[in-house]
Amino acid sequence: MMRTPHLWCPDSSHIRQEWDTVADNGLRLEQNAAEELVRALNSEVSGLYILFNQVRKQYWLVEGTESKPISDFLEDAADRLTEMTDDIAIRITALGGVPACGPMGIRQHAPIFIEDAHHYDIRSSLERDLDGYATLAVQWREHIELADRLGDTATSELLRRHLKTLEADAHVLDRYLADETLVRHDATR
Protein backbone atom coordinates (compact mmCIF):
# COMPACT_ATOMS: atom_id res chain seq x y z
CA MET A 1 0.00 0.00 0.00
CA MET A 2 1.42 3.35 -1.03
CA ARG A 3 1.38 5.99 1.66
CA THR A 4 0.83 9.65 1.00
CA PRO A 5 3.76 11.64 2.37
CA HIS A 6 2.90 13.98 5.18
CA LEU A 7 3.82 17.55 4.39
CA TRP A 8 4.10 20.09 7.13
CA CYS A 9 2.84 23.41 5.87
CA PRO A 10 3.34 26.12 8.46
CA ASP A 11 0.91 28.96 8.55
CA SER A 12 2.13 32.47 7.78
CA SER A 13 2.89 33.14 11.44
CA HIS A 14 5.99 30.94 11.06
CA ILE A 15 7.46 32.88 8.14
CA ARG A 16 10.34 35.13 9.15
CA GLN A 17 10.91 36.52 5.66
CA GLU A 18 9.06 35.85 2.42
CA TRP A 19 10.90 34.34 -0.51
CA ASP A 20 12.13 36.78 -3.14
CA THR A 21 12.25 39.72 -0.73
CA VAL A 22 15.24 41.62 0.60
CA ALA A 23 15.21 42.90 4.16
CA ASP A 24 17.50 45.48 5.70
CA ASN A 25 21.01 44.13 6.05
CA GLY A 26 23.56 44.49 8.79
CA LEU A 27 26.19 45.36 6.17
CA ARG A 28 24.53 48.76 5.72
CA LEU A 29 24.52 48.31 1.96
CA GLU A 30 21.88 50.51 0.36
CA GLN A 31 18.56 48.66 -0.10
CA ASN A 32 18.43 49.07 -3.90
CA ALA A 33 22.00 47.77 -4.23
CA ALA A 34 21.27 44.82 -1.95
CA GLU A 35 18.17 43.94 -3.98
CA GLU A 36 20.13 43.97 -7.26
CA LEU A 37 22.91 41.87 -5.79
CA VAL A 38 20.54 39.35 -4.20
CA ARG A 39 18.78 38.92 -7.55
CA ALA A 40 22.14 38.39 -9.28
CA LEU A 41 23.44 36.02 -6.62
CA ASN A 42 20.23 33.99 -6.65
CA SER A 43 20.89 33.44 -10.33
CA GLU A 44 24.37 32.17 -9.40
CA VAL A 45 23.00 29.84 -6.73
CA SER A 46 20.33 28.51 -9.09
CA GLY A 47 22.86 27.86 -11.84
CA LEU A 48 25.18 26.14 -9.38
CA TYR A 49 22.36 23.88 -8.15
CA ILE A 50 21.59 22.80 -11.70
CA LEU A 51 25.24 22.36 -12.65
CA PHE A 52 25.89 20.36 -9.45
CA ASN A 53 23.03 17.99 -10.24
CA GLN A 54 24.16 17.59 -13.82
CA VAL A 55 27.82 16.95 -12.85
CA ARG A 56 26.71 14.50 -10.17
CA LYS A 57 24.57 12.66 -12.75
CA GLN A 58 27.58 12.36 -15.06
CA TYR A 59 29.61 11.02 -12.12
CA TRP A 60 27.03 8.29 -11.49
CA LEU A 61 26.79 7.30 -15.15
CA VAL A 62 30.31 7.72 -16.54
CA GLU A 63 31.67 4.66 -18.30
CA GLY A 64 34.34 3.82 -20.82
CA THR A 65 38.10 3.63 -21.01
CA GLU A 66 38.64 7.02 -19.38
CA SER A 67 35.96 6.61 -16.73
CA LYS A 68 38.27 6.60 -13.68
CA PRO A 69 39.96 9.99 -14.21
CA ILE A 70 36.69 11.55 -15.42
CA SER A 71 34.80 10.09 -12.46
CA ASP A 72 37.42 11.46 -10.04
CA PHE A 73 37.23 14.90 -11.64
CA LEU A 74 33.41 14.96 -11.58
CA GLU A 75 33.30 13.92 -7.93
CA ASP A 76 35.72 16.70 -6.95
CA ALA A 77 33.95 19.21 -9.21
CA ALA A 78 30.62 18.47 -7.51
CA ASP A 79 32.25 19.15 -4.13
CA ARG A 80 33.60 22.47 -5.41
CA LEU A 81 30.17 23.42 -6.76
CA THR A 82 28.65 22.67 -3.34
CA GLU A 83 31.21 24.89 -1.62
CA MET A 84 30.52 27.74 -4.05
CA THR A 85 26.77 27.36 -3.59
CA ASP A 86 27.10 27.53 0.19
CA ASP A 87 29.38 30.57 0.10
CA ILE A 88 27.08 32.50 -2.21
CA ALA A 89 23.91 31.50 -0.32
CA ILE A 90 25.51 32.75 2.91
CA ARG A 91 26.34 36.05 1.16
CA ILE A 92 22.72 36.36 -0.02
CA THR A 93 21.59 36.00 3.58
CA ALA A 94 24.10 38.63 4.73
CA LEU A 95 22.70 41.00 2.11
CA GLY A 96 19.19 40.54 3.54
CA GLY A 97 17.88 38.04 1.00
CA VAL A 98 16.63 34.48 1.00
CA PRO A 99 18.73 32.09 -1.12
CA ALA A 100 16.97 30.38 -4.02
CA CYS A 101 16.01 26.84 -3.15
CA GLY A 102 13.52 24.27 -4.26
CA PRO A 103 12.50 23.64 -7.85
CA MET A 104 10.36 26.78 -8.25
CA GLY A 105 12.98 29.21 -6.95
CA ILE A 106 15.77 27.60 -8.90
CA ARG A 107 13.84 27.56 -12.17
CA GLN A 108 12.85 31.18 -11.65
CA HIS A 109 16.46 32.36 -11.44
CA ALA A 110 18.60 29.78 -13.29
CA PRO A 111 20.61 30.89 -16.32
CA ILE A 112 21.01 27.27 -17.50
CA PHE A 113 18.80 24.24 -17.98
CA ILE A 114 19.58 20.73 -16.79
CA GLU A 115 19.77 18.04 -19.41
CA ASP A 116 16.97 15.49 -19.60
CA ALA A 117 17.13 12.50 -17.28
CA HIS A 118 18.33 10.14 -20.02
CA HIS A 119 21.73 8.43 -19.99
CA TYR A 120 23.78 10.10 -22.72
CA ASP A 121 27.23 9.27 -24.03
CA ILE A 122 29.92 10.88 -21.90
CA ARG A 123 31.16 13.24 -24.62
CA SER A 124 27.70 14.78 -25.08
CA SER A 125 27.22 15.04 -21.33
CA LEU A 126 30.57 16.73 -20.76
CA GLU A 127 29.87 19.14 -23.61
CA ARG A 128 26.66 20.20 -21.82
CA ASP A 129 28.59 20.51 -18.56
CA LEU A 130 31.20 22.70 -20.25
CA ASP A 131 28.42 24.86 -21.69
CA GLY A 132 26.96 25.25 -18.18
CA TYR A 133 30.33 26.26 -16.74
CA ALA A 134 30.89 28.74 -19.57
CA THR A 135 27.42 30.26 -19.19
CA LEU A 136 27.97 30.73 -15.46
CA ALA A 137 31.45 32.20 -15.99
CA VAL A 138 30.12 34.82 -18.42
CA GLN A 139 27.31 35.73 -16.03
CA TRP A 140 29.69 35.90 -13.06
CA ARG A 141 31.93 38.36 -14.87
CA GLU A 142 28.89 40.59 -15.39
CA HIS A 143 27.92 40.25 -11.73
CA ILE A 144 31.46 41.05 -10.59
CA GLU A 145 31.17 44.32 -12.53
CA LEU A 146 27.74 44.90 -10.95
CA ALA A 147 29.11 44.37 -7.43
CA ASP A 148 32.05 46.68 -8.17
CA ARG A 149 29.72 49.35 -9.55
CA LEU A 150 27.48 49.09 -6.46
CA GLY A 151 30.46 49.31 -4.10
CA ASP A 152 30.20 45.77 -2.71
CA THR A 153 33.82 44.69 -2.67
CA ALA A 154 33.15 41.58 -0.58
CA THR A 155 30.65 40.16 -3.08
CA SER A 156 32.97 41.04 -5.94
CA GLU A 157 35.90 39.27 -4.27
CA LEU A 158 33.78 36.21 -3.47
CA LEU A 159 32.68 35.89 -7.10
CA ARG A 160 36.23 36.49 -8.39
CA ARG A 161 37.61 33.73 -6.17
CA HIS A 162 34.99 31.23 -7.29
CA LEU A 163 35.18 32.34 -10.93
CA LYS A 164 38.75 31.07 -10.95
CA THR A 165 37.47 27.66 -9.84
CA LEU A 166 34.72 27.64 -12.49
CA GLU A 167 37.25 28.53 -15.18
CA ALA A 168 39.75 25.91 -14.00
CA ASP A 169 37.10 23.18 -14.08
CA ALA A 170 35.90 24.35 -17.50
CA HIS A 171 39.49 24.08 -18.73
CA VAL A 172 39.71 20.47 -17.51
CA LEU A 173 36.43 19.63 -19.27
CA ASP A 174 37.71 21.28 -22.44
CA ARG A 175 40.82 19.09 -22.28
CA TYR A 176 38.72 15.94 -21.85
CA LEU A 177 36.78 16.97 -24.92
CA ALA A 178 39.90 17.34 -27.10
CA ASP A 179 39.79 15.33 -30.34
CA GLU A 180 42.16 12.63 -29.16
CA THR A 181 40.13 11.75 -26.06
CA LEU A 182 36.73 10.21 -25.36
CA VAL A 183 36.72 7.99 -28.40
CA ARG A 184 34.16 9.07 -30.96
CA HIS A 185 31.99 6.36 -32.50
CA ASP A 186 31.44 6.50 -36.23
CA ALA A 187 27.67 6.40 -36.82
CA THR A 188 28.17 4.78 -40.27
CA ARG A 189 29.58 1.51 -38.91
Side-chain angles (χ1 to χ4, degrees):
M1 179 159 103
M2 191 168 202
R3 296 182 63 167
T4 304
H6 175 72
L7 298 175
W8 182 70
C9 297
D11 62 41
S12 61
S13 68
H14 295 279
I15 297 173
R16 294 184 67 190
Q17 181 178 346
E18 289 186 23
W19 154 249
D20 222 13
T21 64
V22 179
D24 290 339
N25 61 75
L27 306 177
R28 303 235 166 93
L29 192 64
E30 188 177 308
Q31 184 70 21
N32 290 342
E35 288 172 1
E36 273 192 76
L37 289 165
V38 165
R39 197 170 25 259
L41 294 177
N42 266 324
S43 183
E44 315 301 16
V45 165
S46 297
L48 287 167
Y49 265 119
I50 289 175
L51 191 56
F52 166 83
N53 283 293
Q54 190 165 298
V55 165
R56 201 58 158 163
K57 176 187 165 195
Q58 299 353 335
Y59 166 72
W60 296 328
L61 298 174
V62 69
E63 57 190 12
T65 58
E66 297 178 61
S67 63
K68 177 65 173 140
I70 293 171
S71 176
D72 290 345
F73 166 76
L74 292 171
E75 183 176 27
D76 293 341
D79 290 344
R80 287 186 290 276
L81 291 167
T82 298
E83 180 182 333
M84 286 186 255
T85 303
D86 288 344
D87 287 351
I88 293 171
I90 290 166
R91 186 65 185 169
I92 289 168
T93 303
L95 291 168
V98 178
C101 58
M104 295 297 287
I106 291 169
R107 273 184 278 198
Q108 179 179 342
H109 291 283
I112 60 176
F113 299 97
I114 195 163
E115 69 183 17
D116 290 330
H118 310 298
H119 182 172
Y120 297 96
D121 65 89
I122 193 61
R123 178 171 280 282
S124 298
S125 295
L126 294 182
E127 285 171 348
R128 277 187 291 284
D129 292 347
L130 179 57
D131 185 59
Y133 275 93
T135 299
L136 289 180
V138 167
Q139 178 178 278
W140 285 32
R141 288 183 201 105
E142 293 169 2
H143 291 165
I144 288 167
E145 289 177 16
L146 173 67
D148 286 341
R149 191 173 65 251
L150 295 173
D152 186 356
T153 306
T155 295
S156 177
E157 288 174 4
L158 175 68
L159 291 175
R160 272 189 177 84
R161 180 169 44 94
H162 287 312
L163 177 60
K164 289 178 185 177
T165 302
L166 278 178
E167 290 176 341
D169 284 353
H171 178 68
V172 171
L173 287 172
D174 192 47
R175 292 184 67 180
Y176 276 124
L177 292 167
D179 284 340
E180 65 273 1
T181 63
L182 299 175
V183 177
R184 295 176 189 258
H185 296 284
D186 185 0
T188 60
R189 287 190 207 179

